[in-house]
Amino acid sequence: MASKSAAPAIEVAVGEHTVRVSNPDRVYFPETGATKLDLVNYYLSVGDGIVNALRDRPCMLHRFPKGLPGGKVHQKRLPGGAPDWIPTVELYFPRYGRTADELCVEKLADVIWAVQMSTVEFHPWNSRRFDTEMPDEWRIDLDPMPDCPWSRVQRVAEVAHEVLDELGAVGWPKTSGGKGLHIYVRIAPEFGFQDVRRAALAFAREVERRAPKDVTTTWWRKDRDPHQLFVDYNQNARDHTIAAAYSVRGIPQATVSTPIAWTEIPEIHPTDFTIKTVPTRYAALGDLHAAIDEAIFDLTPLLEWANRDNLEVDLDEET
């Protein structure tokens, strides 16, 4: 019996460019049946939001050339065969002693081309191409341990919000697309990665002080209570990346890391947000992170906390 032939490639017009999408019927998510074309259409539906999340940031790609069953490729270097209109930024990686040109999104066509190249997840840096060594985004990662219930994540988010309010910082929450929550805070690009990490640690310790039964900042995983939530300050280290707002995650349910309002947190669950549900939500609400660049926080108070408590971060810390 002859095998079913692949559907022919299709041409997708995206702004001023056309992206040729090969194997549009390839199933990327067997549990839901979602295909490569479904992924393309999802990213088109949240176009302004995903571009806003990635714009001018070096971006690591999580690619699944044969869909989820075929495994994941962590791609720092831009895949080969890119058209000349795909923007990149050159980065130096001291650990390897070499440079790499990473995707640096400027427009929606750049995103769709990356999806054509089998990208499911987009993981941007927290700095921009103008000075990649100076972050302009402080990231708060509420990372539940294996036995931590979602209700604990919700409680800790309330504590984090309380501390941010007292600092005068505007936090922009989103689901991680997994079991946790991320909160982004825009900062002026005036401090290096080491200082941003120290500030993030000072914040994490304050959240831990207010919710000691729920939160840990213990670095080594083996030393953490599996029922607690880890406030992962090291997500602000150089070349550490997390899934962007509106990025699909490479898990069977095709969940999406989705911007949410603070008032929604008591009522939602991460599995509410998938490539099937988010387009409708986006059409109704727009990009809840659209104004993120308008609220800039000065890290100085947190660095004062770090100095007060003699907090330092180890350059060699690894998860």
Side-chain angles (χ1 to χ4, degrees):
M1 181 177 178
S3 61
K4 182 181 177 181
S5 60
I10 62 173
E11 303 286 332
V12 179
V14 192
E16 298 178 356
H17 301 283
T18 298
V19 179
R20 182 178 183 273
V21 177
S22 61
N23 302 307
D25 62 345
R26 175 171 289 162
V27 175
Y28 273 46
F29 298 88
E31 184 170 300
T32 67
T35 65
K36 185 178 188 179
L37 184 57
D38 291 328
L39 197 61
V40 167
N41 286 332
Y42 163 75
Y43 278 114
L44 289 172
S45 76
V46 296
D48 289 345
I50 188 65
V51 172
N52 189 45
L54 299 176
R55 192 187 307 278
D56 295 320
R57 299 186 184 281
C59 189
M60 183 171 73
L61 309 176
H62 287 194
R63 299 174 57 234
F64 293 79
K66 296 185 179 180
L68 266 61
K72 175 165 54 178
V73 176
H74 293 258
Q75 185 103 27
K76 293 180 186 289
R77 194 178 302 276
L78 188 76
D84 59 10
W85 48 263
I86 293 291
T88 62
V89 61
E90 185 181 70
L91 300 171
Y92 176 66
F93 295 96
R95 179 178 297 183
Y96 308 109
R98 60 176 183 264
T99 62
D101 291 327
E102 287 197 8
L103 176 67
C104 197
V105 165
E106 295 176 349
K107 54 193 177 298
L108 184 55
D110 307 331
V111 174
I112 302 305
W113 176 83
V115 176
Q116 152 57 19
M117 298 303 293
S118 70
T119 299
V120 171
E121 300 188 20
F122 293 84
H123 286 239
W125 282 40
N126 63 337
S127 61
R128 304 205 198 219
R129 66 184 311 152
F130 316 113
D131 189 340
T132 58
E133 302 306 310
M134 303 296 280
D136 73 336
E137 188 166 77
W138 159 33
R139 295 172 174 175
I140 302 163
D141 181 8
L142 304 184
D143 182 13
M145 294 297 95
D147 298 325
C148 175
W150 173 245
S151 59
R152 177 160 286 146
V153 180
Q154 292 166 307
R155 286 200 302 273
V156 175
E158 291 181 7
V159 177
H161 192 195
E162 176 184 89
V163 178
L164 288 170
D165 279 351
E166 292 176 13
L167 286 165
V170 178
W172 303 82
K174 67 182 182 73
T175 62
S176 68
K179 297 180 179 179
L181 284 174
H182 300 154
I183 305 164
Y184 288 174
V185 179
R186 278 290 185 269
I187 57 176
E190 297 172 349
F191 299 96
F193 291 102
Q194 192 80 343
D195 279 335
V196 176
R197 289 168 70 202
R198 290 181 68 239
L201 175 56
F203 177 86
R205 289 284 174 84
E206 179 60 19
V207 174
E208 181 182 36
R209 186 186 68 78
R210 298 189 189 197
K213 293 183 179 180
D214 289 331
V215 173
T216 181
T217 58
T218 299
W219 179 248
W220 296 109
R221 182 178 290 269
K222 64 181 177 62
D223 297 328
R224 299 178 202 150
D225 183 332
H227 298 87
Q228 287 188 306
L229 181 145
F230 176 50
V231 181
D232 189 354
Y233 57 90
N234 208 45
Q235 293 293 9
N236 296 281
R238 187 183 191 276
D239 192 31
H240 280 220
T241 60
I242 54 181
Y246 300 107
S247 176
V248 179
R249 302 306 306 271
I251 61 177
Q253 300 83 5
T255 52
V256 172
S257 183
T258 306
I260 53 176
W262 286 106
T263 54
E264 292 183 282
I265 291 176
E267 308 297 331
I268 63 168
H269 191 274
T271 56
D272 296 338
F273 307 103
T274 70
I275 62 171
K276 291 185 177 180
T277 64
V278 170
T280 300
R281 172 183 170 88
Y282 190 89
L285 301 178
D287 179 10
L288 294 187
H289 283 190
I292 191 170
D293 290 325
E294 298 173 11
I296 309 300
F297 175 66
D298 181 357
L299 280 181
T300 301
L302 281 175
L303 289 172
E304 290 173 353
W305 289 6
N307 292 335
R308 176 197 67 196
D309 297 335
N310 297 313
L311 299 180
E312 295 296 337
V313 287
D314 188 341
L315 286 172
D316 296 321
E317 279 179 339
E318 295 180 356
T319 52

